[in-house]
Amino acid sequence: MIPLSRKLLLYVLVDPACPGGRSAVEQAHEAIRGGATAIQLRAKGIPAGKLAGIGSELAVLCRRHGRLFIVNDRLDAALACGADGVHLGTDDLPLEAARRIAPEGFVIGASAHDPGEAVEAERAGADYLGVGAVFPTQTKADVRATGLDGLRAVVLSTRLPCVGIGGITARTAPEVLRCGACGVAVHAAVAGAREVEAAAREFREFLDGKEASHA
Amino acid sequence: MIPLSRKLLLYVLVDPACPGGRSAVEQAHEAIRGGATAIQLRAKGIPAGKLAGIGSELAVLCRRHGRLFIVNDRLDAALACGADGVHLGTDDLPLEAARRIAPEGFVIGASAHDPGEAVEAERAGADYLGVGAVFPTQTKADVRATGLDGLRAVVLSTRLPCVGIGGITARTAPEVLRCGACGVAVHAAVAGAREVEAAAREFREFLDGKEASHA
């Protein structure tokens, strides 16, 4: 069985509201072709029935390609659509409650901005951490960036696999790995790119250390 | 054990955004003192962590008073906070999926606007139906009212207990019961009233057929 940390190398957040006019399923499909190892459906504010519908398509797509599929925030929709897991941010359901509701083996990710939150999330039963925002980002303009030092501090505080998130580009992705993160989570930089597949592929080249061939 | 239909006689929807400045817990507390038999927490757009927090307080309050407690839309928050059930509208999670996720005995309510939807919801595993809007209502201004005839048609199409909802006043509540509904669901008319307890009490007097003493 592939360890979770390996599945989180290039974690692409797809969103029906992403600029570019592609559906979330199209975004995911192209990102997977480009090398995304995990997909997260983040679709704040759309009705749960629609969310579960999109989620069902993504679950089938990801299973077919052997990629991890996570739904943001809504554990119920995640369970309904057959996702592998849910990602819970700071304002979402309490981790303990989610752990109690979810079946065994269901992946629960949590957000951590500092070592205190990381330790707490590990204690509460999270399987992985999304750590950031590593760099300043448009998606969460109100969040202060942790920087690479902040990321490193979180990685050192927990045994959980950590994914850096926030403002990461293909070129900075290797630095995120050098902090001890097992991968990078990206949103607009891939799912909102003009060429989603190419954007994902560029991330993979840098993450895999093969970017020299393009230099 | 009290049958579900009895617990649905006066079903009050509380909402942190309700006019009047009361918290959802205050609304529920006063409504229960006035005779509400069931409380639904409807709080669209607030983060799940906060929803589950308010829900936990309401679950304790309702259990202490022997009232049914239902959370609107979010099955995950309903399970997390210890509610008795969830109410799923047309745009919410599919009923079959919710039934699969929820533990045995967990109440699942569904919305039905006509006999077709009622039959479908019964087949899919709903425990009760919210039927309406019976009368025109501000809360859902875009919804065409079913009228009392429409309500009666739904009641006759299903074995599930039916609650009338939408624009019902204390004075029209008995007509709703005469259509075969087991109760009335009310939102702004109680939770948004100047005197929540008095508003709930007036509904109970009409529902219990004791309104003559006030005539």
Side-chain angles (χ1 to χ4, degrees), chain B:
Chain B
M1 216 177 86
I2 304 169
L4 182 58
S5 58
R6 283 275 302 283
K7 298 183 190 168
L8 294 168
L9 180 65
L10 178 55
Y11 187 4
V12 174
L13 280 56
V14 300
D15 185 339
C18 222
R22 289 177 182 83
S23 72
V25 175
E26 288 165 343
Q27 293 164 33
H29 208 153
E30 295 185 35
I32 287 171
R33 276 207 300 262
T37 56
I39 297 291
Q40 179 183 126
L41 173 59
R42 175 187 280 185
K44 295 271 180 197
I46 77 167
K50 201 167 170 186
L51 183 68
I54 298 170
S56 297
E57 287 189 68
L58 288 171
V60 169
L61 176 73
C62 288
R63 191 163 308 122
R64 198 166 66 220
H65 291 274
R67 313 302 160 101
L68 190 74
F69 174 51
I70 303 287
V71 173
N72 186 264
D73 173 22
R74 287 207 62 147
L75 172 58
D76 49 5
L79 293 171
C81 75
D84 299 305
V86 69
H87 187 90
L88 298 175
T90 315
D91 292 337
D92 296 337
L93 283 184
L95 281 166
E96 291 92 340
R99 194 85 272 171
R100 222 163 46 228
I101 297 165
E104 208 176 312
F106 194 78
V107 175
I108 300 183
S111 298
H113 306 92
D114 56 50
E117 289 184 5
V119 168
E120 176 52 25
E122 181 172 353
R123 190 201 57 72
D127 294 306
Y128 76 85
L129 299 177
V131 183
V134 178
F135 302 111
T137 160
Q138 290 294 318
T139 310
K140 298 205 171 183
D142 54 327
V143 172
R144 204 167 66 86
T146 65
L148 292 167
D149 287 343
L151 169 62
R152 202 177 292 110
V154 171
V155 168
L156 290 172
S157 73
T158 176
R159 283 166 304 182
L160 297 179
C162 292
V163 179
I165 185 166
I168 300 167
T169 63
R171 268 151 222 284
T172 55
E175 298 176 47
V176 171
L177 296 192
R178 280 195 291 272
C179 291
C182 66
V184 298
V186 286
H187 184 207
V190 170
R194 197 123 60 105
E195 305 281 349
V196 174
E197 182 180 339
R201 182 165 293 120
E202 193 190 8
F203 266 93
R204 277 305 296 265
E205 286 166 355
F206 277 87
L207 287 165
D208 299 341
K210 296 176 186 156
E211 80 286 358
S213 61
H214 284 260

Side-chain angles (χ1 to χ4, degrees), chain A residues 57-187:
Chain A
E57 287 188 67
L58 288 171
V60 169
L61 176 73
C62 289
R63 192 164 306 123
R64 198 164 66 220
H65 292 273
R67 314 301 160 102
L68 191 73
F69 175 50
I70 303 286
V71 174
N72 186 265
D73 173 22
R74 288 208 60 148
L75 173 58
D76 48 6
L79 293 170
C81 73
D84 299 305
V86 70
H87 187 91
L88 299 175
T90 315
D91 292 338
D92 297 336
L93 282 185
L95 281 167
E96 292 91 340
R99 195 85 271 172
R100 223 165 45 228
I101 296 165
E104 208 173 313
F106 194 78
V107 175
I108 300 182
S111 298
H113 307 90
D114 57 49
E117 289 183 5
V119 169
E120 176 54 25
E122 181 173 353
R123 191 202 56 71
D127 294 305
Y128 76 86
L129 300 178
V131 183
V134 177
F135 302 111
T137 160
Q138 291 293 319
T139 311
K140 298 206 170 180
D142 54 327
V143 172
R144 204 166 65 86
T146 64
L148 292 167
D149 287 343
L151 170 61
R152 202 176 291 112
V154 170
V155 169
L156 290 172
S157 73
T158 176
R159 283 167 304 181
L160 297 179
C162 292
V163 178
I165 184 166
I168 300 168
T169 63
R171 268 150 221 286
T172 55
E175 299 176 46
V176 171
L177 296 192
R178 281 196 290 273
C179 290
C182 65
V184 299
V186 286
H187 185 206

